[in-house]
Amino acid sequence: MKNVFLTGCLFLSQIGFAQFNYPKTPEKPATDDYFGTKITDNYQWLEDLKNPEVKTWFKAQSDYSHIIIDKIPNRDALYNRMKQVQEMGGDSYGYATQRGNLYFYVKTKKNEKLSKLYAKDVSTGKEILIFDPETYKKDAQITNFTVDTKGNQIALLFSKSGSEICELRILDLKTKKFLDDVLAPIWSEFNFEFTPDGRYITYTKMSTGDPNSNMLLKEMKAMIHQIGTNQDKDIVLGAREEYPELSILTEQFPEVSFSDDYKSIILRIGSTKSESPVFYAPFSSIKDKKIKWKQIVKPSDDIVQTFISGDQLFFLSHKNAPNYKIGLTSLSNPDFDNAKVIVPESSSVITSIHSSKNYLVYSLSNGIIQDKYLIDLKTLTRKKAPLPSGINYSAALNARENDNLQCYNSNWLTPATFYDYSPENDKAIKSKYFNGDSNYPDYYASYEVKEVEVKSHDGTMVPLSIIYPKNIKMDGSTPAYITGYGGYGISSTPRFSNRLSVLLEQGTVVAVAHVRGGGEKGENWHKDGMKAKKPNTWKDFIACSEYLVNQKYTSPSKLIGNGGSMGGVLIGRAITERPDLFAVAIAEVGMTNVLRSQNSANGANQIPEVGSLKDPEDTKHLIEMDAQSKVKKGIKYPAVIVSTGMNDSRITPWEPAKFAAVLQNSTSSGKPVLLYANYENGHFTSDLEVVFKEYADIFAFALWQVGHPKFQPAKK
């Protein structure tokens, strides 16, 4: 049995008791004044992650949680079933990159936990293992890769144990050996790209790789590296200090890419705000001591994506078109107000654009169905790709050389399937290269899917997806799991989940609330869940939860609420506003303390979405969305499991930890509140062993608390 730090209390001999003896969390009051509103926070001392007392507290909480969870029966059965479902799906693939007859891709074999890099010769069908991350470093994971134009080199981005602070290595594909170049630190999501001659690579460099530094996600620089030289000789292409005329903010991140025809260099100044400034320069200036960037997009243009072909500048914008439009203007002299509208706004939402050699590909969605359309770059005519109904994604195999698309179709109960599509023959064919040899059961034989709309607190109709057993008794006796997000305009589109399929098999209803703050109904839907309107996010979630109860799918004693990351605002405020509505709350790596999260490295990045503590009006709304300060002593809160990845740099571990601490010291329900601190994880991980273990623990906890008979500990 693991040791646990209890500090003056006896360990619980059986977990059927009403009282849980958590590791003690002292209250050390600290008061902040928010423009006249004073809020006392008893747990700010937990924000010092370098403090030995804090480290000991985290370990004690983690050990205590595992002692409790380890007593729940059938937890291992959930874990084993997740692995079985993974194996039923066969090998799983990522999107491929084509160079000549070779396709490069990552694949996770059905009985393995990590993705490896492979190549396949499509002329022979022969597959070659290019790189296994387990041979590189302990706990290394392949986060991303790119191949040079000739297929001679591949750049691999590696993370460790779920951390998103990565390093980049360059593999010589002829020798299968790494070059000496090591580029670091690089954030997991940033673009990196070879020049066409393969002699240079662009990337975005972080100012520090220290996960505990407040500068972690600040003062980043777009760089170009000459392969074979030391990183300290790299040239800055875009940064706040070296390019003050670009007005880059400390927290913004500059990214460089190239147009498909290699005639232009593109500099995008990114943030959580999709409407980013974009600059360009002729490709010939890439080796200049200082590039003369020309701005082509301003944030006020409301443009979220661009594509350049020669002097053509295609753009996706929501300006005067909340469901988005696609327009065309001149790169050398852009005029967005008088641009040609290629695809006008409609009742469906245009969600994204990407290119192939001769086409611009866009997605058109109603939130539940997403179709693919192609625009001929020469004639500007449009056609729909003949893909199956559902959510369809796509990527070009080699956008610079051909029009071959790899498409991906998913639904709530249909495991995702890859399709090959070529506009030349206009046929979508189930891929013979990228679908695992699956033997999933027929989920439609056992489950139903219902798409409804629920009236929220202000009369707005909110989409709700419900997946439920066909043999359900509509008497409120069935456990139900409802999740939501509501941030950054991200839509919760239908997708099959191995993990949630295992939860369905326990006889549980699974529901997804498409709350405001997401993008299901366009940019207005996003804006109606931001800043002053953020309460709509959790009030929509509450309304959808009430619908499940009122329609007898479940009852409050059987209802499990879930929210993760920005969804921490949703679940945190849902249970502080309506603690009576939920039996269990699962807060995954959640933003539950927005008043303090802006002190973290990633805090300034969130300002466009939630507001700034330097603005009195924004601060009023931040106070309202802060779940931490809404927890009151003596309230009967649901059972809560709060997860955090100890390698998480997006939501710093102290934020979820403080939420668990205040709930432990405040709730009067007698229900458990556990902090699930995972030392092998970050904000997420691609290590399926870690993923399955964590979700088996979390689901077992939730099913125990809603009274599922298979998950009740033996009484002593």
Side-chain angles (χ1 to χ4, degrees), residues 219-237:
E219 299 294 355
M220 290 175 272
K221 300 182 179 185
M223 312 291 292
I224 185 166
H225 169 76
Q226 183 176 357
I227 296 169
T229 65
N230 291 329
Q231 188 180 14
D232 57 12
K233 294 182 179 179
D234 292 354
I235 297 170
V236 179
L237 300 179

Side-chain angles (χ1 to χ4, degrees), residues 40-55:
T40 298
D41 182 346
N42 291 320
Y43 305 98
Q44 282 186 22
W45 65 276
L46 290 173
E47 296 175 15
D48 184 4
L49 296 176
K50 295 180 180 179
N51 186 328
E53 182 184 4
V54 174
K55 290 181 179 180

Side-chain angles (χ1 to χ4, degrees), residues 530-564:
M530 290 174 61
K531 297 184 179 181
K533 297 182 178 181
K534 191 62 182 173
N536 287 331
T537 296
W538 66 81
K539 291 179 184 294
D540 289 352
F541 187 73
I542 288 171
C544 289
S545 300
E546 289 176 327
Y547 178 89
L548 294 177
V549 171
N550 293 337
Q551 297 298 310
K552 304 295 185 182
Y553 284 97
T554 191
S555 58
S557 65
K558 302 288 184 180
L559 185 58
I560 304 162
N562 169 267

Side-chain angles (χ1 to χ4, degrees), residues 77-93 107-116 415-416 435-441 443 496-502 505 686-693:
L78 289 178
Y79 164 76
N80 290 329
R81 182 57 179 164
M82 288 178 192
K83 292 188 70 173
Q84 288 172 359
V85 173
Q86 177 202 359
E87 292 183 9
M88 285 193 300
D91 299 342
S92 61
Y93 297 80
K107 179 178 76 170
T108 307
K109 288 189 175 182
K110 62 182 181 180
N111 56 355
E112 294 182 347
K113 66 176 185 175
L114 286 177
S115 295
K116 300 174 183 177
N435 289 307
D437 184 17
S438 65
N439 61 343
Y440 287 111
Y443 289 101
F496 177 79
S497 165
N498 284 345
R499 299 193 300 270
L500 291 182
S501 73
V502 173
E505 289 176 347
S686 58
D687 187 330
L688 293 179
E689 185 79 8
V690 174
V691 170
F692 293 161
K693 283 181 178 178

